[in-house]
Amino acid sequence: MLVTIIKGQSDDKITICRADGTTAAAQFPKKGPVPHDAVHLIVEEVLGLAHGFWGMIAAGHDPEDIQDIAKAAGHASAKRETAPAAEILELIQAERIVEAAEAALWSGGTDIEGMRDLAE
C-alpha cells in the first residue's frame, strides 16, 4: 500500500493506493505538529498492529468510514458501556497509543524507552 500524507495549514490530507490498485483519499482537521494519521502509520507498523486504522484501510475500508465502523462495533464511551467487538480491538489499542504519542509530541517529547513503556 502506498500512502501519501500531506500536512496542510488547516487540514491534513491522505491518499492511498492499495496493493490491488484501488484508491482512497480523505481530509481531516489538522491536529498537532505531526499529522494524526502519520502517527497511526508509525505506531501500527512498529507494533505490528495489522488490524488498526491502516490495516482496515488496506483491507478496503474508506478512511472516513472507520469511525462509524468502530462506533457500530461497540467502541467504548460513556454512552456505550458494552465490550467492543473483537474486530476493532487493535483499532482501539492503536488509537490509545497514538493519543499518548501525540501527547508526548505536543509536550516536548519523551525518549524511546518511555514510549516503549507506554505501549506496554
Side-chain angles (χ1 to χ4, degrees):
M1 182 167 67
L2 177 64
V3 175
T4 303
I5 301 172
I6 300 168
K7 182 178 171 143
Q9 292 296 321
S10 61
D11 293 315
D12 295 330
K13 297 176 179 115
I14 59 173
T15 59
I16 300 106
C17 182
R18 297 181 187 94
D20 66 3
T22 59
T23 61
Q27 186 170 320
F28 298 100
K30 184 177 178 178
K31 185 177 172 183
V34 177
H36 180 76
D37 295 319
V39 180
H40 259 282
L41 190 63
I42 294 164
V43 164
E44 292 175 26
E45 178 69 24
V46 169
L47 297 178
L49 298 174
H51 304 288
F53 177 80
W54 288 105
M56 294 179 79
I57 302 304
H61 293 287
D62 189 271
E64 294 180 349
D65 293 339
I66 303 299
Q67 185 174 17
D68 290 335
I69 292 168
K71 186 176 179 181
H75 188 289
S77 78
K79 294 180 183 177
R80 294 180 304 276
E81 297 179 5
T82 59
E87 64 265 16
I88 67 163
L89 288 179
E90 283 191 5
L91 176 67
I92 294 170
Q93 291 169 335
E95 188 63 36
R96 296 304 166 255
I97 295 168
V98 166
E99 289 169 349
E102 287 177 330
L105 286 168
W106 296 348
S107 67
T110 186
D111 59 18
I112 192 67
E113 289 80 19
M115 288 304 297
R116 282 190 186 128
D117 291 343
L118 175 79
E120 289 176 3

PDB file of all heavy atoms in Angstrom, residues 8-25:
ATOM      1  N   GLY A   8      -1.300  20.148   5.951  1.00  0.00           N
ATOM      2  CA  GLY A   8      -1.780  21.438   5.472  1.00  0.00           C
ATOM      3  C   GLY A   8      -1.832  22.467   6.577  1.00  0.00           C
ATOM      4  O   GLY A   8      -1.474  22.201   7.724  1.00  0.00           O
ATOM      5  N   GLN A   9      -2.297  23.653   6.225  1.00  0.00           N
ATOM      6  CA  GLN A   9      -2.425  24.730   7.195  1.00  0.00           C
ATOM      7  C   GLN A   9      -3.572  24.490   8.166  1.00  0.00           C
ATOM      8  O   GLN A   9      -3.436  24.687   9.363  1.00  0.00           O
ATOM      9  CB  GLN A   9      -2.626  26.069   6.476  1.00  0.00           C
ATOM     10  CG  GLN A   9      -1.410  26.519   5.711  1.00  0.00           C
ATOM     11  CD  GLN A   9      -0.226  26.802   6.617  1.00  0.00           C
ATOM     12  OE1 GLN A   9      -0.373  27.342   7.706  1.00  0.00           O
ATOM     13  NE2 GLN A   9       0.955  26.413   6.183  1.00  0.00           N
ATOM     14  N   SER A  10      -4.720  24.037   7.641  1.00  0.00           N
ATOM     15  CA  SER A  10      -5.878  23.790   8.495  1.00  0.00           C
ATOM     16  C   SER A  10      -6.357  22.339   8.428  1.00  0.00           C
ATOM     17  O   SER A  10      -7.040  21.880   9.330  1.00  0.00           O
ATOM     18  CB  SER A  10      -7.033  24.725   8.124  1.00  0.00           C
ATOM     19  OG  SER A  10      -7.423  24.507   6.787  1.00  0.00           O
ATOM     20  N   ASP A  11      -5.988  21.633   7.366  1.00  0.00           N
ATOM     21  CA  ASP A  11      -6.371  20.229   7.195  1.00  0.00           C
ATOM     22  C   ASP A  11      -5.167  19.416   6.748  1.00  0.00           C
ATOM     23  O   ASP A  11      -4.261  19.937   6.098  1.00  0.00           O
ATOM     24  CB  ASP A  11      -7.459  20.093   6.114  1.00  0.00           C
ATOM     25  CG  ASP A  11      -8.770  20.725   6.514  1.00  0.00           C
ATOM     26  OD1 ASP A  11      -9.199  20.524   7.660  1.00  0.00           O
ATOM     27  OD2 ASP A  11      -9.371  21.417   5.674  1.00  0.00           O
ATOM     28  N   ASP A  12      -5.180  18.147   7.114  1.00  0.00           N
ATOM     29  CA  ASP A  12      -4.196  17.197   6.611  1.00  0.00           C
ATOM     30  C   ASP A  12      -4.920  16.291   5.626  1.00  0.00           C
ATOM     31  O   ASP A  12      -6.101  15.981   5.808  1.00  0.00           O
ATOM     32  CB  ASP A  12      -3.600  16.373   7.754  1.00  0.00           C
ATOM     33  CG  ASP A  12      -2.792  17.230   8.732  1.00  0.00           C
ATOM     34  OD1 ASP A  12      -2.217  18.243   8.299  1.00  0.00           O
ATOM     35  OD2 ASP A  12      -2.735  16.872   9.915  1.00  0.00           O
ATOM     36  N   LYS A  13      -4.219  15.867   4.591  1.00  0.00           N
ATOM     37  CA  LYS A  13      -4.825  15.028   3.561  1.00  0.00           C
ATOM     38  C   LYS A  13      -4.054  13.724   3.448  1.00  0.00           C
ATOM     39  O   LYS A  13      -2.837  13.686   3.619  1.00  0.00           O
ATOM     40  CB  LYS A  13      -4.802  15.760   2.221  1.00  0.00           C
ATOM     41  CG  LYS A  13      -5.615  17.028   2.238  1.00  0.00           C
ATOM     42  CD  LYS A  13      -5.484  17.783   0.929  1.00  0.00           C
ATOM     43  CE  LYS A  13      -6.342  19.013   1.001  1.00  0.00           C
ATOM     44  NZ  LYS A  13      -5.690  20.245   0.966  1.00  0.00           N
ATOM     45  N   ILE A  14      -4.797  12.647   3.177  1.00  0.00           N
ATOM     46  CA  ILE A  14      -4.165  11.357   2.910  1.00  0.00           C
ATOM     47  C   ILE A  14      -4.702  10.826   1.588  1.00  0.00           C
ATOM     48  O   ILE A  14      -5.860  11.019   1.251  1.00  0.00           O
ATOM     49  CB  ILE A  14      -4.397  10.325   4.039  1.00  0.00           C
ATOM     50  CG1 ILE A  14      -5.894  10.053   4.259  1.00  0.00           C
ATOM     51  CG2 ILE A  14      -3.742  10.774   5.325  1.00  0.00           C
ATOM     52  CD1 ILE A  14      -6.178   8.925   5.245  1.00  0.00           C
ATOM     53  N   THR A  15      -3.810  10.185   0.845  1.00  0.00           N
ATOM     54  CA  THR A  15      -4.212   9.434  -0.340  1.00  0.00           C
ATOM     55  C   THR A  15      -3.590   8.056  -0.230  1.00  0.00           C
ATOM     56  O   THR A  15      -2.487   7.903   0.290  1.00  0.00           O
ATOM     57  CB  THR A  15      -3.785  10.116  -1.653  1.00  0.00           C
ATOM     58  OG1 THR A  15      -2.369  10.263  -1.664  1.00  0.00           O
ATOM     59  CG2 THR A  15      -4.436  11.477  -1.814  1.00  0.00           C
ATOM     60  N   ILE A  16      -4.332   7.084  -0.686  1.00  0.00           N
ATOM     61  CA  ILE A  16      -3.923   5.691  -0.543  1.00  0.00           C
ATOM     62  C   ILE A  16      -4.066   4.996  -1.882  1.00  0.00           C
ATOM     63  O   ILE A  16      -5.072   5.162  -2.563  1.00  0.00           O
ATOM     64  CB  ILE A  16      -4.822   4.960   0.487  1.00  0.00           C
ATOM     65  CG1 ILE A  16      -4.729   5.632   1.860  1.00  0.00           C
ATOM     66  CG2 ILE A  16      -4.462   3.489   0.580  1.00  0.00           C
ATOM     67  CD1 ILE A  16      -5.941   6.426   2.203  1.00  0.00           C
ATOM     68  N   CYS A  17      -3.070   4.207  -2.233  1.00  0.00           N
ATOM     69  CA  CYS A  17      -3.177   3.281  -3.356  1.00  0.00           C
ATOM     70  C   CYS A  17      -2.895   1.901  -2.764  1.00  0.00           C
ATOM     71  O   CYS A  17      -1.781   1.621  -2.317  1.00  0.00           O
ATOM     72  CB  CYS A  17      -2.199   3.618  -4.468  1.00  0.00           C
ATOM     73  SG  CYS A  17      -2.380   2.512  -5.893  1.00  0.00           S
ATOM     74  N   ARG A  18      -3.932   1.065  -2.722  1.00  0.00           N
ATOM     75  CA  ARG A  18      -3.815  -0.267  -2.129  1.00  0.00           C
ATOM     76  C   ARG A  18      -3.084  -1.220  -3.069  1.00  0.00           C
ATOM     77  O   ARG A  18      -2.958  -0.957  -4.267  1.00  0.00           O
ATOM     78  CB  ARG A  18      -5.198  -0.819  -1.794  1.00  0.00           C
ATOM     79  CG  ARG A  18      -5.942   0.011  -0.757  1.00  0.00           C
ATOM     80  CD  ARG A  18      -7.309  -0.605  -0.443  1.00  0.00           C
ATOM     81  NE  ARG A  18      -8.089   0.269   0.408  1.00  0.00           N
ATOM     82  CZ  ARG A  18      -8.972   1.169  -0.040  1.00  0.00           C
ATOM     83  NH1 ARG A  18      -9.199   1.298  -1.338  1.00  0.00           N
ATOM     84  NH2 ARG A  18      -9.631   1.928   0.811  1.00  0.00           N
ATOM     85  N   ALA A  19      -2.653  -2.343  -2.537  1.00  0.00           N
ATOM     86  CA  ALA A  19      -1.941  -3.358  -3.318  1.00  0.00           C
ATOM     87  C   ALA A  19      -2.754  -3.840  -4.515  1.00  0.00           C
ATOM     88  O   ALA A  19      -2.192  -4.196  -5.548  1.00  0.00           O
ATOM     89  CB  ALA A  19      -1.555  -4.531  -2.422  1.00  0.00           C
ATOM     90  N   ASP A  20      -4.077  -3.826  -4.393  1.00  0.00           N
ATOM     91  CA  ASP A  20      -4.926  -4.279  -5.503  1.00  0.00           C
ATOM     92  C   ASP A  20      -5.223  -3.176  -6.517  1.00  0.00           C
ATOM     93  O   ASP A  20      -5.974  -3.378  -7.467  1.00  0.00           O
ATOM     94  CB  ASP A  20      -6.234  -4.886  -4.978  1.00  0.00           C
ATOM     95  CG  ASP A  20      -7.144  -3.870  -4.284  1.00  0.00           C
ATOM     96  OD1 ASP A  20      -6.802  -2.660  -4.239  1.00  0.00           O
ATOM     97  OD2 ASP A  20      -8.207  -4.283  -3.794  1.00  0.00           O
ATOM     98  N   GLY A  21      -4.645  -1.986  -6.326  1.00  0.00           N
ATOM     99  CA  GLY A  21      -4.825  -0.883  -7.254  1.00  0.00           C
ATOM    100  C   GLY A  21      -5.961   0.058  -6.917  1.00  0.00           C
ATOM    101  O   GLY A  21      -6.077   1.127  -7.524  1.00  0.00           O
ATOM    102  N   THR A  22      -6.811  -0.300  -5.956  1.00  0.00           N
ATOM    103  CA  THR A  22      -7.887   0.608  -5.572  1.00  0.00           C
ATOM    104  C   THR A  22      -7.308   1.783  -4.794  1.00  0.00           C
ATOM    105  O   THR A  22      -6.243   1.674  -4.182  1.00  0.00           O
ATOM    106  CB  THR A  22      -8.975  -0.092  -4.736  1.00  0.00           C
ATOM    107  OG1 THR A  22      -8.381  -0.624  -3.549  1.00  0.00           O
ATOM    108  CG2 THR A  22      -9.645  -1.205  -5.541  1.00  0.00           C
ATOM    109  N   THR A  23      -8.024   2.890  -4.801  1.00  0.00           N
ATOM    110  CA  THR A  23      -7.532   4.091  -4.143  1.00  0.00           C
ATOM    111  C   THR A  23      -8.573   4.655  -3.181  1.00  0.00           C
ATOM    112  O   THR A  23      -9.755   4.330  -3.268  1.00  0.00           O
ATOM    113  CB  THR A  23      -7.173   5.180  -5.174  1.00  0.00           C
ATOM    114  OG1 THR A  23      -8.345   5.530  -5.907  1.00  0.00           O
ATOM    115  CG2 THR A  23      -6.084   4.701  -6.121  1.00  0.00           C
ATOM    116  N   ALA A  24      -8.108   5.495  -2.315  1.00  0.00           N
ATOM    117  CA  ALA A  24      -8.975   6.210  -1.380  1.00  0.00           C
ATOM    118  C   ALA A  24      -8.265   7.508  -1.013  1.00  0.00           C
ATOM    119  O   ALA A  24      -7.045   7.626  -1.147  1.00  0.00           O
ATOM    120  CB  ALA A  24      -9.247   5.380  -0.132  1.00  0.00           C
ATOM    121  N   ALA A  25      -9.049   8.457  -0.552  1.00  0.00           N
ATOM    122  CA  ALA A  25      -8.494   9.736  -0.110  1.00  0.00           C
ATOM    123  C   ALA A  25      -9.390  10.304   0.972  1.00  0.00           C
ATOM    124  O   ALA A  25     -10.584   9.984   1.034  1.00  0.00           O
ATOM    125  CB  ALA A  25      -8.384  10.714  -1.274  1.00  0.00           C
TER     126      ALA A  25
END
